[in-house]
Structure formats: structure tokens, C-alpha cells
Amino acid sequence: MRHQFKGEDFLAFKDMTKEEILFITDLSLDFKKKWVSRESHEYLKGQVWAALFEKNSTRTRNAFERAAADLGVKVVYLRPDEMQMTRGEPLKDTARILDRYFDGLFIRTFGHEIVEQCAYWMKNPVINGLTALEHPTQGIADLMTIKEKKGKFEGLKMCYSGNLYNVAYTTMIFCATLGIDLSIACPKGLEPDEKILEETMKRAKESGAKIELTQDFDKALENADIVYGMSQYSMGQSEEEIEYLKKAFKPYQINAEAMKKAKSDAIFMHCLPAHRGEEVTDEVMESDQSVIFDEGENRMHSIKAILAAVAN
């Protein structure tokens, strides 16, 4: 089983094996130790990477730029509105030109097909900083956090509440792959992507993880070691869609009463930004069970490990 990512792309958990996911997670934890001990690790000094962000970002952009700086990588930030793609230049032309200038591309965009096309046309590695389908750098940060707080993966139970979108899909794949039971509190009619669900169930069959979709929030919370909150809506959705989703997810808010229905030592996770008072209350966000800022910091370490693993 390969563990060597050198020169390869990092696009989605759905394309990765259990061994590969664990390898990057462990490497991320190793880089965190170096960060804590202030051990220099400029392993990629001299490299120059492009960062293309078509969606707003706080954690992803800053985590990437700091991770790159620690590795000795210079980052060139590309503003989409200043590029010729806005005038109709084909993505394949842009990708091949960027490939001549840079040692790799970190991209945060909309459709997953965009990162796949970049990866197809570029010889240098492409890292997915978020698409509509997956958020793999977040997934590794989440696994780091779970390992740090719970010491294991297999045998744990996670309750997930929130919009079934990129973070949810990444979470579904890693839970099924690593043997984490997952109970998704899901309003009727808002089920996950069929292909992602199919891949999730296939992996769950191999690992023994129990994956369920339920409208019963209390059932989803029962015996949960991890309660994962997520925004009820996503960037770019219409006001009409947002209001519909808010109403549908209102019964699934993670508040103090909801946390009491999970295990007493359950942790609360959220990829951020959170809409306090909507999917989660301020009380839960600020509670001792909340690990959201450790999780947020781990984005930097996960991206650093991914960069180090794929860079030529």
C-alpha cells in the first residue's frame, strides 16, 4: 500500500485508502510536535506555490500561508477577478500556464470538477482547499483533533448535525473508513449526495462502522463521543434556500440540552465559521466540551503535512 504522495494531488478522501488517511493524520501530528517545540522545518525552502481562492476564507487561507512559510515556501496569492478566466480563458489554458510558473497549486473553489481539471492539466501537485464535494484539509484536522482528545478512532460514535455538504461528505468518508459510527441528524428531503453515500456504505461494510441517517436528533445524540456541528447553509445559496434550510434544521440545534444527551465526556466540534444562535448556541461554543479552537489550529498542521507529503 503506497504512503508516498510525492508529486501527487490531494483532492478528496473518496480517492484515498485507510492507510493513506492515517499516514497524513500521523504526519500532521508530527508536524504539530515540531511547531510546539519550535523545531525548524523549512523542508521546502525555495519552492513557490500559487494560492487561488474563489471563495472567501479565514482559516484555510491563513493556515495555508503560515504552513507554507514554516516549510520555507513562498506563496503567490491569485485574485480570481484579476485573472483572464473572468474573460473566458479556458481553465485548461490557465492551469498549464500556472504549472510552468509554480511548484504547485492550492485552490479553494466551487465545483469539484474544477480541481480535478486542474490536476489533469498540471504536472505539479494540486491541493484541494475546499470544493462543493469535499474539504479534505479540514478532514485531516478533524482526525487530528479526535486522536488528540479521544486517543483512537475505531469504536467511537459521532453525531453530525448541519447542512449535508462538503464537510459532511468528508466526515462521512473518514468515519466509514476508520470505523467511527456516524449518526446524521437529517431533516426529511435533505439526504446526502447519492454517490458519496454509496461510497460511505461500501467503506462502512469493510470497517464495521455503523452509518445511519435519522430524523430523530435524540437518537443521533445517544452515546455520542463527538457532536459535530455545521452551518445549516452554505456560501452562495439564495436567501430563499437559506430560509428554507434554517427552518428545516431548527429542531437540530446543538445546545446545552442536546449535549446532555450525548456522553458526559463528549466533545463538540465545528469546522467554523459558526453562526452562533443558529446551528449551535454560544453556551456550547464556549463550554469545556468545545474543542473548536484546537480543531481550527490543526488546520495549519494538516495543511503543512499535506504540502510536505505532495511537494516534488
Side-chain angles (χ1 to χ4, degrees):
M1 192 64 62
R2 75 176 170 86
H3 295 314
Q4 180 57 269
F5 287 81
K6 187 176 177 65
E8 297 190 16
D9 306 304
F10 192 89
L11 305 185
F13 274 29
K14 69 179 180 62
D15 303 324
M16 296 171 64
T17 65
K18 176 181 179 179
E19 289 78 12
E20 289 165 350
I21 292 170
L22 290 174
F23 172 76
I24 291 291
T25 302
D26 288 342
L27 185 60
S28 301
L29 290 165
D30 287 341
F31 270 110
K32 187 170 185 177
K33 290 177 184 176
K34 295 181 190 299
W35 163 267
V36 171
S37 65
R38 291 296 186 256
E39 178 185 338
S40 178
H41 42 277
E42 291 187 315
Y43 303 144
L44 303 180
K45 196 168 185 178
Q47 289 209 6
V48 183
W49 277 61
L52 177 57
F53 282 68
E54 294 188 301
K55 279 189 171 185
N56 293 341
S57 175
T58 296
R59 277 147 294 276
T60 305
R61 180 179 174 183
N62 286 289
F64 172 68
E65 294 203 12
R66 180 56 199 256
D70 285 353
L71 290 169
V73 175
K74 179 177 174 58
V75 174
V76 176
Y77 180 73
L78 308 177
R79 283 183 49 178
D81 62 315
E82 294 181 342
M83 298 180 69
Q84 296 293 352
M85 288 189 296
T86 60
R87 293 175 57 189
E89 181 175 29
L91 179 61
K92 62 183 180 180
D93 292 354
T94 301
R96 281 180 287 186
I97 283 296
L98 294 180
D99 199 35
R100 301 292 182 102
Y101 299 157
F102 299 107
D103 295 294
L105 173 66
F106 189 97
I107 178 170
R108 179 180 175 94
T109 187
F110 293 90
H112 193 73
E113 69 280 358
I114 295 172
V115 298
E116 290 181 329
Q117 286 181 47
C118 288
Y120 179 83
W121 291 107
M122 294 180 68
K123 294 178 182 178
N124 285 313
V126 175
I127 297 175
N128 174 12
L130 176 141
T131 64
L133 190 70
E134 280 209 43
H135 198 354
T137 65
Q138 178 68 49
I140 296 296
D142 289 346
L143 289 173
M144 289 177 67
T145 308
I146 294 169
K147 187 70 175 290
E148 289 175 327
K149 305 303 179 183
K150 295 298 179 181
K152 64 177 183 178
F153 299 122
E154 196 167 337
L156 296 175
K157 178 187 175 181
M158 178 188 289
C159 166
Y160 178 93
S161 174
N163 195 11
L164 295 174
Y165 202 52
N166 41 31
V167 173
Y169 297 156
T170 300
T171 303
M172 288 167 62
I173 295 290
F174 78 59
C175 282
T177 304
L178 301 182
I180 301 172
D181 293 342
L182 175 63
S183 189
I184 301 170
C186 177
K188 188 175 181 180
L190 294 174
E191 290 78 16
D193 178 89
E194 287 184 11
K195 288 185 179 179
I196 290 291
L197 184 58
E198 182 181 343
E199 179 66 20
T200 297
M201 293 307 184
K202 175 186 172 184
R203 291 182 181 230
K205 190 174 181 180
E206 296 170 358
S207 72
K210 297 174 184 176
I211 310 292
E212 67 171 355
L213 307 177
T214 178
Q215 295 173 49
D216 188 338
F217 194 25
D218 288 352
K219 180 183 178 184
L221 287 161
E222 187 178 357
N223 293 318
D225 300 282
I226 305 152
V227 180
Y228 201 119
M230 179 63 182
S231 172
Q232 298 167 354
Y233 47 90
S234 301
M235 288 182 281
Q237 291 186 297
S238 69
E239 286 298 320
E240 186 176 305
E241 288 174 313
I242 289 171
E243 288 308 312
Y244 169 75
L245 290 168
K246 281 184 180 181
K247 185 176 180 180
F249 279 107
K250 191 173 182 180
Y252 302 92
Q253 184 190 68
I254 300 170
N255 50 38
E257 287 304 308
M259 289 301 295
K260 288 176 184 177
K261 294 170 184 175
K263 287 185 178 178
S264 59
D265 64 346
I267 58 174
F268 171 72
M269 297 178 66
H270 195 298
C271 73
L272 302 179
H275 300 91
R276 295 179 183 236
E278 291 184 6
E279 73 267 16
V280 60
T281 61
D282 192 78
E283 184 180 8
V284 171
M285 292 277 284
E286 299 296 339
S287 71
D288 291 338
Q289 290 176 283
S290 175
V291 298
I292 56 175
F293 295 110
D294 290 332
E295 184 184 3
E297 178 191 328
N298 284 341
R299 294 289 304 285
M300 174 177 61
H301 306 301
S302 71
I303 291 173
K304 190 179 295 183
I306 294 162
L307 258 174
V310 306
N312 284 306

